[in-house]
Amino acid sequence: MSLPRSSPGATNYDHGVRDPLNSRLAPFGTTIFATMSALAVETGAINLGQGFPDTDGPSEVLDAAVNAIRSGQNQYPPGLGVPELRHAVAEHQRRFWGLEFDPDTEVLITAGATEALAGALLGTLEPGDEVVVFEPMYDSYQACIALSGAKVVPVLLRPTPDGYRFDEDELLAAISPKTRSILLNTPHNPTGKVFTRDEITFISSLAIEHDLMVITDEVYEHLIFDGREHVSMAGLPGMRERTLTISSGGKTFNTTGWKIGWICGPRELLRAAMSAKQFLTYVNGAPFQPAIAAGLRLGDDYFTRLADGLADTRNRLGEGLRAAGFNVFPSEATYFTTVDITPLRPDGDGVAFCTELPHKIGVVAIPNQVFYVNPEHGRNLVRFACCKRPEVIDAAVDRLVTLAA
Ligand SMILES: *Cc1c(COP(=O)(O)O)cnc(C)c1O
């Protein structure tokens, strides 16, 4: 959020002395999503920038929240989260990924995956530690690692006609004696990549060899297309004891505003994350916790239909982007498709492109360079979200194809 530097009448506490913002956060500024969503509102453009759905989730989930509010579940829930949801998360991990977690000691409910990530990073990192992260990356990773005093060591995911790939030697070279953990996001935002079993096995072998922790962000675990397989790191040999697995209900149940997330992991690692988490929010979302539990217990058809619906809008968006003349990279999962803009804008300036686009044709997208530690690596790449009703995607496509003329 962008706050005024000083407000009238407020004590000018920092006058002439020092910036009130601490030096660890100073590099990060306002998140791009706030800026671009404000631009969408200001210009009346179709917002394919920030990834939030424009339809409500399943009525079973919405009704469960209303019932919970009406039946008085409105006070602080237990520190670990309501037992019903912890049990539902443990059941979900077994049902979909074959993972066993004790709901009383190995599952922690958080204020979205965002707080789960903050808790896991702030609770385990020492100043000077290094965290290996694939770039581009979700924007909160860099900020939380910086807050903990640790350092991000990026490994590049390069776009190819077959999807995004990393170089095994580059990953190997990124690991040093200071490396504490690897932070992995699969399926991956913003690239739409699903890490393959081979890739995850390779990463796991390095984690074991160098005795590293792995934190894995799996919020798009159910938004996978074309029969691809989600591989959860904790299920690989030797990985359960060193892995914190993070997800949330926002993307799976179209409830991004509820902020109900969770971490699963072995007791000692979970305790470290809990130590930080308890001083961030302590607890959150009492009536939404049983509602997400109801969602996690929905039949397989719900999860299948969710992915099928999104695959349809992914296809419509992808065809439109190709017709507009972009170089479009495959979207294997998630809300997102990324493109190289250079066929349409030879200078490859993604920030200028995204700033002009709402004024020019009434569509908002996100310049990928904000997801990189080295912005140059993503300068010519732009991300479009497909998590909108088909008619909204079609309307956006009608506008995008005019760029080809
Ligand atoms: C949306 C998103 C999150 C945040 O999830 P919340 O539950 O809304 O906090 C975390 N990681 C990735 C990769 C995301 O896209």
Side-chain angles (χ1 to χ4, degrees), residues 111-115 117 138 141 185 187 189 217 219-220 248-251 256 259-261 336:
T114 307
E115 192 200 34
L117 286 155
Y138 187 63
Y141 297 179
N185 169 217
N189 172 9
D217 175 348
V219 301
Y220 296 102
S248 89
K251 310 285 160 62
T256 59
K259 300 296 284 189
I260 301 297
F336 308 112

mmCIF file with all atom_site columns, all heavy atoms in Angstrom, residues 111-115 117 138 141 185 187 189 217 219-220 248-251 256 259-261 336, ligand 1:
data_model
loop_
_atom_site.group_PDB
_atom_site.id
_atom_site.type_symbol
_atom_site.label_atom_id
_atom_site.label_alt_id
_atom_site.label_comp_id
_atom_site.label_asym_id
_atom_site.label_entity_id
_atom_site.label_seq_id
_atom_site.pdbx_PDB_ins_code
_atom_site.Cartn_x
_atom_site.Cartn_y
_atom_site.Cartn_z
_atom_site.occupancy
_atom_site.B_iso_or_equiv
_atom_site.pdbx_formal_charge
_atom_site.auth_seq_id
_atom_site.auth_comp_id
_atom_site.auth_asym_id
_atom_site.auth_atom_id
_atom_site.pdbx_PDB_model_num
ATOM   1   N N   . ALA A 1 111 ? -3.374  -17.212 8.257   1.00 0.00 ? 111 ALA A N   1
ATOM   2   C CA  . ALA A 1 111 ? -4.093  -16.173 7.503   1.00 0.00 ? 111 ALA A CA  1
ATOM   3   C C   . ALA A 1 111 ? -3.625  -16.213 6.044   1.00 0.00 ? 111 ALA A C   1
ATOM   4   O O   . ALA A 1 111 ? -2.792  -15.422 5.603   1.00 0.00 ? 111 ALA A O   1
ATOM   5   C CB  . ALA A 1 111 ? -3.853  -14.803 8.121   1.00 0.00 ? 111 ALA A CB  1
ATOM   6   N N   . GLY A 1 112 ? -4.140  -17.176 5.325   1.00 0.00 ? 112 GLY A N   1
ATOM   7   C CA  . GLY A 1 112 ? -3.762  -17.373 3.929   1.00 0.00 ? 112 GLY A CA  1
ATOM   8   C C   . GLY A 1 112 ? -2.388  -17.999 3.801   1.00 0.00 ? 112 GLY A C   1
ATOM   9   O O   . GLY A 1 112 ? -1.649  -18.153 4.782   1.00 0.00 ? 112 GLY A O   1
ATOM   10  N N   . ALA A 1 113 ? -2.055  -18.360 2.563   1.00 0.00 ? 113 ALA A N   1
ATOM   11  C CA  . ALA A 1 113 ? -0.712  -18.880 2.300   1.00 0.00 ? 113 ALA A CA  1
ATOM   12  C C   . ALA A 1 113 ? 0.326   -17.794 2.552   1.00 0.00 ? 113 ALA A C   1
ATOM   13  O O   . ALA A 1 113 ? 1.471   -18.081 2.892   1.00 0.00 ? 113 ALA A O   1
ATOM   14  C CB  . ALA A 1 113 ? -0.621  -19.374 0.861   1.00 0.00 ? 113 ALA A CB  1
ATOM   15  N N   . THR A 1 114 ? -0.078  -16.538 2.407   1.00 0.00 ? 114 THR A N   1
ATOM   16  C CA  . THR A 1 114 ? 0.859   -15.432 2.619   1.00 0.00 ? 114 THR A CA  1
ATOM   17  C C   . THR A 1 114 ? 1.419   -15.449 4.039   1.00 0.00 ? 114 THR A C   1
ATOM   18  O O   . THR A 1 114 ? 2.631   -15.329 4.239   1.00 0.00 ? 114 THR A O   1
ATOM   19  C CB  . THR A 1 114 ? 0.163   -14.081 2.330   1.00 0.00 ? 114 THR A CB  1
ATOM   20  O OG1 . THR A 1 114 ? -0.420  -14.146 1.028   1.00 0.00 ? 114 THR A OG1 1
ATOM   21  C CG2 . THR A 1 114 ? 1.144   -12.933 2.393   1.00 0.00 ? 114 THR A CG2 1
ATOM   22  N N   . GLU A 1 115 ? 0.537   -15.618 5.035   1.00 0.00 ? 115 GLU A N   1
ATOM   23  C CA  . GLU A 1 115 ? 1.045   -15.672 6.403   1.00 0.00 ? 115 GLU A CA  1
ATOM   24  C C   . GLU A 1 115 ? 1.774   -16.979 6.677   1.00 0.00 ? 115 GLU A C   1
ATOM   25  O O   . GLU A 1 115 ? 2.735   -17.022 7.469   1.00 0.00 ? 115 GLU A O   1
ATOM   26  C CB  . GLU A 1 115 ? -0.081  -15.494 7.425   1.00 0.00 ? 115 GLU A CB  1
ATOM   27  C CG  . GLU A 1 115 ? 0.512   -15.247 8.806   1.00 0.00 ? 115 GLU A CG  1
ATOM   28  C CD  . GLU A 1 115 ? -0.451  -15.518 9.941   1.00 0.00 ? 115 GLU A CD  1
ATOM   29  O OE1 . GLU A 1 115 ? -1.297  -16.440 9.827   1.00 0.00 ? 115 GLU A OE1 1
ATOM   30  O OE2 . GLU A 1 115 ? -0.359  -14.818 10.949  1.00 0.00 ? 115 GLU A OE2 1
ATOM   31  N N   . LEU A 1 117 ? 3.691   -18.501 4.572   1.00 0.00 ? 117 LEU A N   1
ATOM   32  C CA  . LEU A 1 117 ? 5.036   -18.250 4.054   1.00 0.00 ? 117 LEU A CA  1
ATOM   33  C C   . LEU A 1 117 ? 5.827   -17.366 5.008   1.00 0.00 ? 117 LEU A C   1
ATOM   34  O O   . LEU A 1 117 ? 6.993   -17.639 5.314   1.00 0.00 ? 117 LEU A O   1
ATOM   35  C CB  . LEU A 1 117 ? 4.952   -17.570 2.684   1.00 0.00 ? 117 LEU A CB  1
ATOM   36  C CG  . LEU A 1 117 ? 4.516   -18.490 1.538   1.00 0.00 ? 117 LEU A CG  1
ATOM   37  C CD1 . LEU A 1 117 ? 3.878   -17.704 0.402   1.00 0.00 ? 117 LEU A CD1 1
ATOM   38  C CD2 . LEU A 1 117 ? 5.722   -19.289 1.039   1.00 0.00 ? 117 LEU A CD2 1
ATOM   39  N N   . TYR A 1 138 ? 6.639   -15.238 -6.674  1.00 0.00 ? 138 TYR A N   1
ATOM   40  C CA  . TYR A 1 138 ? 5.541   -14.518 -6.016  1.00 0.00 ? 138 TYR A CA  1
ATOM   41  C C   . TYR A 1 138 ? 6.129   -13.389 -5.179  1.00 0.00 ? 138 TYR A C   1
ATOM   42  O O   . TYR A 1 138 ? 7.136   -13.573 -4.493  1.00 0.00 ? 138 TYR A O   1
ATOM   43  C CB  . TYR A 1 138 ? 4.771   -15.506 -5.131  1.00 0.00 ? 138 TYR A CB  1
ATOM   44  C CG  . TYR A 1 138 ? 3.523   -14.945 -4.530  1.00 0.00 ? 138 TYR A CG  1
ATOM   45  C CD1 . TYR A 1 138 ? 2.455   -14.526 -5.326  1.00 0.00 ? 138 TYR A CD1 1
ATOM   46  C CD2 . TYR A 1 138 ? 3.386   -14.853 -3.152  1.00 0.00 ? 138 TYR A CD2 1
ATOM   47  C CE1 . TYR A 1 138 ? 1.304   -14.016 -4.758  1.00 0.00 ? 138 TYR A CE1 1
ATOM   48  C CE2 . TYR A 1 138 ? 2.229   -14.348 -2.583  1.00 0.00 ? 138 TYR A CE2 1
ATOM   49  C CZ  . TYR A 1 138 ? 1.194   -13.928 -3.392  1.00 0.00 ? 138 TYR A CZ  1
ATOM   50  O OH  . TYR A 1 138 ? 0.058   -13.431 -2.830  1.00 0.00 ? 138 TYR A OH  1
ATOM   51  N N   . TYR A 1 141 ? 7.695   -13.380 -1.386  1.00 0.00 ? 141 TYR A N   1
ATOM   52  C CA  . TYR A 1 141 ? 8.862   -14.183 -0.986  1.00 0.00 ? 141 TYR A CA  1
ATOM   53  C C   . TYR A 1 141 ? 10.061  -13.296 -0.658  1.00 0.00 ? 141 TYR A C   1
ATOM   54  O O   . TYR A 1 141 ? 10.694  -13.436 0.376   1.00 0.00 ? 141 TYR A O   1
ATOM   55  C CB  . TYR A 1 141 ? 9.296   -15.159 -2.097  1.00 0.00 ? 141 TYR A CB  1
ATOM   56  C CG  . TYR A 1 141 ? 8.325   -16.233 -2.500  1.00 0.00 ? 141 TYR A CG  1
ATOM   57  C CD1 . TYR A 1 141 ? 8.665   -17.127 -3.513  1.00 0.00 ? 141 TYR A CD1 1
ATOM   58  C CD2 . TYR A 1 141 ? 7.085   -16.382 -1.888  1.00 0.00 ? 141 TYR A CD2 1
ATOM   59  C CE1 . TYR A 1 141 ? 7.804   -18.132 -3.919  1.00 0.00 ? 141 TYR A CE1 1
ATOM   60  C CE2 . TYR A 1 141 ? 6.213   -17.380 -2.292  1.00 0.00 ? 141 TYR A CE2 1
ATOM   61  C CZ  . TYR A 1 141 ? 6.577   -18.246 -3.315  1.00 0.00 ? 141 TYR A CZ  1
ATOM   62  O OH  . TYR A 1 141 ? 5.730   -19.232 -3.717  1.00 0.00 ? 141 TYR A OH  1
ATOM   63  N N   . ASN A 1 185 ? 7.701   -23.218 -5.571  1.00 0.00 ? 185 ASN A N   1
ATOM   64  C CA  . ASN A 1 185 ? 6.282   -22.962 -5.813  1.00 0.00 ? 185 ASN A CA  1
ATOM   65  C C   . ASN A 1 185 ? 5.867   -23.786 -7.031  1.00 0.00 ? 185 ASN A C   1
ATOM   66  O O   . ASN A 1 185 ? 6.334   -23.542 -8.137  1.00 0.00 ? 185 ASN A O   1
ATOM   67  C CB  . ASN A 1 185 ? 6.090   -21.453 -6.051  1.00 0.00 ? 185 ASN A CB  1
ATOM   68  C CG  . ASN A 1 185 ? 4.715   -21.072 -6.573  1.00 0.00 ? 185 ASN A CG  1
ATOM   69  O OD1 . ASN A 1 185 ? 4.592   -20.172 -7.401  1.00 0.00 ? 185 ASN A OD1 1
ATOM   70  N ND2 . ASN A 1 185 ? 3.688   -21.737 -6.112  1.00 0.00 ? 185 ASN A ND2 1
ATOM   71  N N   . PRO A 1 187 ? 2.173   -25.856 -8.567  1.00 0.00 ? 187 PRO A N   1
ATOM   72  C CA  . PRO A 1 187 ? 2.271   -25.120 -9.830  1.00 0.00 ? 187 PRO A CA  1
ATOM   73  C C   . PRO A 1 187 ? 2.676   -23.666 -9.576  1.00 0.00 ? 187 PRO A C   1
ATOM   74  O O   . PRO A 1 187 ? 2.364   -23.119 -8.532  1.00 0.00 ? 187 PRO A O   1
ATOM   75  C CB  . PRO A 1 187 ? 0.857   -25.214 -10.393 1.00 0.00 ? 187 PRO A CB  1
ATOM   76  C CG  . PRO A 1 187 ? 0.263   -26.445 -9.776  1.00 0.00 ? 187 PRO A CG  1
ATOM   77  C CD  . PRO A 1 187 ? 0.843   -26.507 -8.412  1.00 0.00 ? 187 PRO A CD  1
ATOM   78  N N   . ASN A 1 189 ? 3.374   -19.596 -10.048 1.00 0.00 ? 189 ASN A N   1
ATOM   79  C CA  . ASN A 1 189 ? 2.944   -18.252 -10.404 1.00 0.00 ? 189 ASN A CA  1
ATOM   80  C C   . ASN A 1 189 ? 4.208   -17.391 -10.514 1.00 0.00 ? 189 ASN A C   1
ATOM   81  O O   . ASN A 1 189 ? 4.998   -17.410 -9.568  1.00 0.00 ? 189 ASN A O   1
ATOM   82  C CB  . ASN A 1 189 ? 2.027   -17.718 -9.288  1.00 0.00 ? 189 ASN A CB  1
ATOM   83  C CG  . ASN A 1 189 ? 1.660   -16.255 -9.446  1.00 0.00 ? 189 ASN A CG  1
ATOM   84  O OD1 . ASN A 1 189 ? 1.929   -15.639 -10.457 1.00 0.00 ? 189 ASN A OD1 1
ATOM   85  N ND2 . ASN A 1 189 ? 1.045   -15.708 -8.408  1.00 0.00 ? 189 ASN A ND2 1
ATOM   86  N N   . ASP A 1 217 ? 5.180   -23.984 -1.780  1.00 0.00 ? 217 ASP A N   1
ATOM   87  C CA  . ASP A 1 217 ? 3.934   -23.224 -1.902  1.00 0.00 ? 217 ASP A CA  1
ATOM   88  C C   . ASP A 1 217 ? 3.107   -23.901 -2.995  1.00 0.00 ? 217 ASP A C   1
ATOM   89  O O   . ASP A 1 217 ? 3.471   -23.855 -4.175  1.00 0.00 ? 217 ASP A O   1
ATOM   90  C CB  . ASP A 1 217 ? 4.298   -21.775 -2.271  1.00 0.00 ? 217 ASP A CB  1
ATOM   91  C CG  . ASP A 1 217 ? 3.083   -20.895 -2.553  1.00 0.00 ? 217 ASP A CG  1
ATOM   92  O OD1 . ASP A 1 217 ? 1.961   -21.419 -2.696  1.00 0.00 ? 217 ASP A OD1 1
ATOM   93  O OD2 . ASP A 1 217 ? 3.283   -19.665 -2.653  1.00 0.00 ? 217 ASP A OD2 1
ATOM   94  N N   . VAL A 1 219 ? -0.402  -23.490 -3.597  1.00 0.00 ? 219 VAL A N   1
ATOM   95  C CA  . VAL A 1 219 ? -1.769  -22.935 -3.609  1.00 0.00 ? 219 VAL A CA  1
ATOM   96  C C   . VAL A 1 219 ? -2.541  -23.253 -4.892  1.00 0.00 ? 219 VAL A C   1
ATOM   97  O O   . VAL A 1 219 ? -3.764  -23.195 -4.899  1.00 0.00 ? 219 VAL A O   1
ATOM   98  C CB  . VAL A 1 219 ? -1.812  -21.408 -3.342  1.00 0.00 ? 219 VAL A CB  1
ATOM   99  C CG1 . VAL A 1 219 ? -1.213  -21.053 -2.000  1.00 0.00 ? 219 VAL A CG1 1
ATOM   100 C CG2 . VAL A 1 219 ? -1.152  -20.624 -4.456  1.00 0.00 ? 219 VAL A CG2 1
ATOM   101 N N   . TYR A 1 220 ? -1.823  -23.596 -5.968  1.00 0.00 ? 220 TYR A N   1
ATOM   102 C CA  . TYR A 1 220 ? -2.516  -23.947 -7.224  1.00 0.00 ? 220 TYR A CA  1
ATOM   103 C C   . TYR A 1 220 ? -2.586  -25.457 -7.441  1.00 0.00 ? 220 TYR A C   1
ATOM   104 O O   . TYR A 1 220 ? -2.735  -25.926 -8.576  1.00 0.00 ? 220 TYR A O   1
ATOM   105 C CB  . TYR A 1 220 ? -1.818  -23.271 -8.413  1.00 0.00 ? 220 TYR A CB  1
ATOM   106 C CG  . TYR A 1 220 ? -1.895  -21.760 -8.354  1.00 0.00 ? 220 TYR A CG  1
ATOM   107 C CD1 . TYR A 1 220 ? -0.798  -21.010 -7.946  1.00 0.00 ? 220 TYR A CD1 1
ATOM   108 C CD2 . TYR A 1 220 ? -3.075  -21.092 -8.662  1.00 0.00 ? 220 TYR A CD2 1
ATOM   109 C CE1 . TYR A 1 220 ? -0.877  -19.625 -7.862  1.00 0.00 ? 220 TYR A CE1 1
ATOM   110 C CE2 . TYR A 1 220 ? -3.166  -19.712 -8.580  1.00 0.00 ? 220 TYR A CE2 1
ATOM   111 C CZ  . TYR A 1 220 ? -2.058  -18.989 -8.175  1.00 0.00 ? 220 TYR A CZ  1
ATOM   112 O OH  . TYR A 1 220 ? -2.144  -17.622 -8.093  1.00 0.00 ? 220 TYR A OH  1
ATOM   113 N N   . SER A 1 248 ? -3.655  -23.024 0.520   1.00 0.00 ? 248 SER A N   1
ATOM   114 C CA  . SER A 1 248 ? -4.739  -22.226 1.087   1.00 0.00 ? 248 SER A CA  1
ATOM   115 C C   . SER A 1 248 ? -6.025  -22.478 0.319   1.00 0.00 ? 248 SER A C   1
ATOM   116 O O   . SER A 1 248 ? -6.012  -23.091 -0.744  1.00 0.00 ? 248 SER A O   1
ATOM   117 C CB  . SER A 1 248 ? -4.383  -20.738 1.091   1.00 0.00 ? 248 SER A CB  1
ATOM   118 O OG  . SER A 1 248 ? -4.765  -20.119 -0.103  1.00 0.00 ? 248 SER A OG  1
ATOM   119 N N   . GLY A 1 249 ? -7.130  -22.004 0.871   1.00 0.00 ? 249 GLY A N   1
ATOM   120 C CA  . GLY A 1 249 ? -8.435  -22.231 0.248   1.00 0.00 ? 249 GLY A CA  1
ATOM   121 C C   . GLY A 1 249 ? -8.795  -21.197 -0.808  1.00 0.00 ? 249 GLY A C   1
ATOM   122 O O   . GLY A 1 249 ? -9.738  -21.395 -1.575  1.00 0.00 ? 249 GLY A O   1
ATOM   123 N N   . GLY A 1 250 ? -8.073  -20.091 -0.867  1.00 0.00 ? 250 GLY A N   1
ATOM   124 C CA  . GLY A 1 250 ? -8.465  -18.972 -1.739  1.00 0.00 ? 250 GLY A CA  1
ATOM   125 C C   . GLY A 1 250 ? -8.602  -19.351 -3.194  1.00 0.00 ? 250 GLY A C   1
ATOM   126 O O   . GLY A 1 250 ? -9.623  -19.065 -3.834  1.00 0.00 ? 250 GLY A O   1
ATOM   127 N N   . LYS A 1 251 ? -7.585  -20.009 -3.748  1.00 0.00 ? 251 LYS A N   1
ATOM   128 C CA  . LYS A 1 251 ? -7.580  -20.317 -5.177  1.00 0.00 ? 251 LYS A CA  1
ATOM   129 C C   . LYS A 1 251 ? -8.471  -21.523 -5.479  1.00 0.00 ? 251 LYS A C   1
ATOM   130 O O   . LYS A 1 251 ? -9.027  -21.630 -6.557  1.00 0.00 ? 251 LYS A O   1
ATOM   131 C CB  . LYS A 1 251 ? -6.141  -20.598 -5.655  1.00 0.00 ? 251 LYS A CB  1
ATOM   132 C CG  . LYS A 1 251 ? -5.117  -19.529 -5.236  1.00 0.00 ? 251 LYS A CG  1
ATOM   133 C CD  . LYS A 1 251 ? -5.214  -18.237 -6.030  1.00 0.00 ? 251 LYS A CD  1
ATOM   134 C CE  . LYS A 1 251 ? -4.581  -17.027 -5.353  1.00 0.00 ? 251 LYS A CE  1
ATOM   135 N NZ  . LYS A 1 251 ? -3.167  -17.064 -5.081  1.00 0.00 ? 251 LYS A NZ  1
ATOM   136 N N   . THR A 1 256 ? -10.657 -15.831 -2.377  1.00 0.00 ? 256 THR A N   1
ATOM   137 C CA  . THR A 1 256 ? -9.343  -15.223 -2.110  1.00 0.00 ? 256 THR A CA  1
ATOM   138 C C   . THR A 1 256 ? -9.415  -14.180 -0.990  1.00 0.00 ? 256 THR A C   1
ATOM   139 O O   . THR A 1 256 ? -8.401  -13.903 -0.355  1.00 0.00 ? 256 THR A O   1
ATOM   140 C CB  . THR A 1 256 ? -8.742  -14.573 -3.377  1.00 0.00 ? 256 THR A CB  1
ATOM   141 O OG1 . THR A 1 256 ? -9.647  -13.567 -3.846  1.00 0.00 ? 256 THR A OG1 1
ATOM   142 C CG2 . THR A 1 256 ? -8.505  -15.603 -4.475  1.00 0.00 ? 256 THR A CG2 1
ATOM   143 N N   . LYS A 1 259 ? -8.786  -15.557 3.147   1.00 0.00 ? 259 LYS A N   1
ATOM   144 C CA  . LYS A 1 259 ? -7.455  -15.728 3.733   1.00 0.00 ? 259 LYS A CA  1
ATOM   145 C C   . LYS A 1 259 ? -7.385  -16.852 4.771   1.00 0.00 ? 259 LYS A C   1
ATOM   146 O O   . LYS A 1 259 ? -7.037  -16.637 5.935   1.00 0.00 ? 259 LYS A O   1
ATOM   147 C CB  . LYS A 1 259 ? -6.976  -14.403 4.354   1.00 0.00 ? 259 LYS A CB  1
ATOM   148 C CG  . LYS A 1 259 ? -6.883  -13.252 3.372   1.00 0.00 ? 259 LYS A CG  1
ATOM   149 C CD  . LYS A 1 259 ? -5.866  -13.438 2.284   1.00 0.00 ? 259 LYS A CD  1
ATOM   150 C CE  . LYS A 1 259 ? -4.455  -13.220 2.762   1.00 0.00 ? 259 LYS A CE  1
ATOM   151 N NZ  . LYS A 1 259 ? -3.508  -13.204 1.608   1.00 0.00 ? 259 LYS A NZ  1
ATOM   152 N N   . ILE A 1 260 ? -7.764  -18.050 4.325   1.00 0.00 ? 260 ILE A N   1
ATOM   153 C CA  . ILE A 1 260 ? -7.590  -19.233 5.173   1.00 0.00 ? 260 ILE A CA  1
ATOM   154 C C   . ILE A 1 260 ? -6.546  -20.128 4.503   1.00 0.00 ? 260 ILE A C   1
ATOM   155 O O   . ILE A 1 260 ? -6.781  -20.677 3.425   1.00 0.00 ? 260 ILE A O   1
ATOM   156 C CB  . ILE A 1 260 ? -8.908  -20.008 5.354   1.00 0.00 ? 260 ILE A CB  1
ATOM   157 C CG1 . ILE A 1 260 ? -9.989  -19.117 5.976   1.00 0.00 ? 260 ILE A CG1 1
ATOM   158 C CG2 . ILE A 1 260 ? -8.673  -21.278 6.202   1.00 0.00 ? 260 ILE A CG2 1
ATOM   159 C CD1 . ILE A 1 260 ? -9.690  -18.614 7.385   1.00 0.00 ? 260 ILE A CD1 1
ATOM   160 N N   . GLY A 1 261 ? -5.397  -20.267 5.151   1.00 0.00 ? 261 GLY A N   1
ATOM   161 C CA  . GLY A 1 261 ? -4.325  -21.095 4.607   1.00 0.00 ? 261 GLY A CA  1
ATOM   162 C C   . GLY A 1 261 ? -3.838  -22.089 5.643   1.00 0.00 ? 261 GLY A C   1
ATOM   163 O O   . GLY A 1 261 ? -4.391  -22.161 6.745   1.00 0.00 ? 261 GLY A O   1
ATOM   164 N N   . PHE A 1 336 ? -2.575  -18.240 -14.828 1.00 0.00 ? 336 PHE A N   1
ATOM   165 C CA  . PHE A 1 336 ? -1.762  -17.307 -15.612 1.00 0.00 ? 336 PHE A CA  1
ATOM   166 C C   . PHE A 1 336 ? -1.183  -17.848 -16.912 1.00 0.00 ? 336 PHE A C   1
ATOM   167 O O   . PHE A 1 336 ? -0.796  -19.008 -17.011 1.00 0.00 ? 336 PHE A O   1
ATOM   168 C CB  . PHE A 1 336 ? -0.610  -16.793 -14.745 1.00 0.00 ? 336 PHE A CB  1
ATOM   169 C CG  . PHE A 1 336 ? -1.098  -16.239 -13.436 1.00 0.00 ? 336 PHE A CG  1
ATOM   170 C CD1 . PHE A 1 336 ? -0.804  -16.876 -12.243 1.00 0.00 ? 336 PHE A CD1 1
ATOM   171 C CD2 . PHE A 1 336 ? -1.914  -15.115 -13.412 1.00 0.00 ? 336 PHE A CD2 1
ATOM   172 C CE1 . PHE A 1 336 ? -1.291  -16.382 -11.043 1.00 0.00 ? 336 PHE A CE1 1
ATOM   173 C CE2 . PHE A 1 336 ? -2.410  -14.613 -12.212 1.00 0.00 ? 336 PHE A CE2 1
ATOM   174 C CZ  . PHE A 1 336 ? -2.094  -15.256 -11.020 1.00 0.00 ? 336 PHE A CZ  1
HETATM 175 C C1  . LIG B 2 .   ? -2.238  -16.197 -4.344  1.00 0.00 ? 1   LIG B C1  1
HETATM 176 C C2  . LIG B 2 .   ? -0.923  -16.750 -3.941  1.00 0.00 ? 1   LIG B C2  1
HETATM 177 C C3  . LIG B 2 .   ? -0.541  -16.834 -2.596  1.00 0.00 ? 1   LIG B C3  1
HETATM 178 C C4  . LIG B 2 .   ? -1.347  -16.187 -1.504  1.00 0.00 ? 1   LIG B C4  1
HETATM 179 O O1  . LIG B 2 .   ? -2.348  -16.984 -1.026  1.00 0.00 ? 1   LIG B O1  1
HETATM 180 P P1  . LIG B 2 .   ? -3.342  -16.407 0.092   1.00 0.00 ? 1   LIG B P1  1
HETATM 181 O O2  . LIG B 2 .   ? -3.980  -17.620 0.611   1.00 0.00 ? 1   LIG B O2  1
HETATM 182 O O3  . LIG B 2 .   ? -4.273  -15.475 -0.600  1.00 0.00 ? 1   LIG B O3  1
HETATM 183 O O4  . LIG B 2 .   ? -2.514  -15.686 1.102   1.00 0.00 ? 1   LIG B O4  1
HETATM 184 C C5  . LIG B 2 .   ? 0.655   -17.443 -2.277  1.00 0.00 ? 1   LIG B C5  1
HETATM 185 N N1  . LIG B 2 .   ? 1.462   -17.934 -3.239  1.00 0.00 ? 1   LIG B N1  1
HETATM 186 C C6  . LIG B 2 .   ? 1.154   -17.851 -4.537  1.00 0.00 ? 1   LIG B C6  1
HETATM 187 C C7  . LIG B 2 .   ? 2.085   -18.418 -5.542  1.00 0.00 ? 1   LIG B C7  1
HETATM 188 C C8  . LIG B 2 .   ? -0.038  -17.240 -4.938  1.00 0.00 ? 1   LIG B C8  1
HETATM 189 O O5  . LIG B 2 .   ? -0.318  -17.104 -6.242  1.00 0.00 ? 1   LIG B O5  1
#
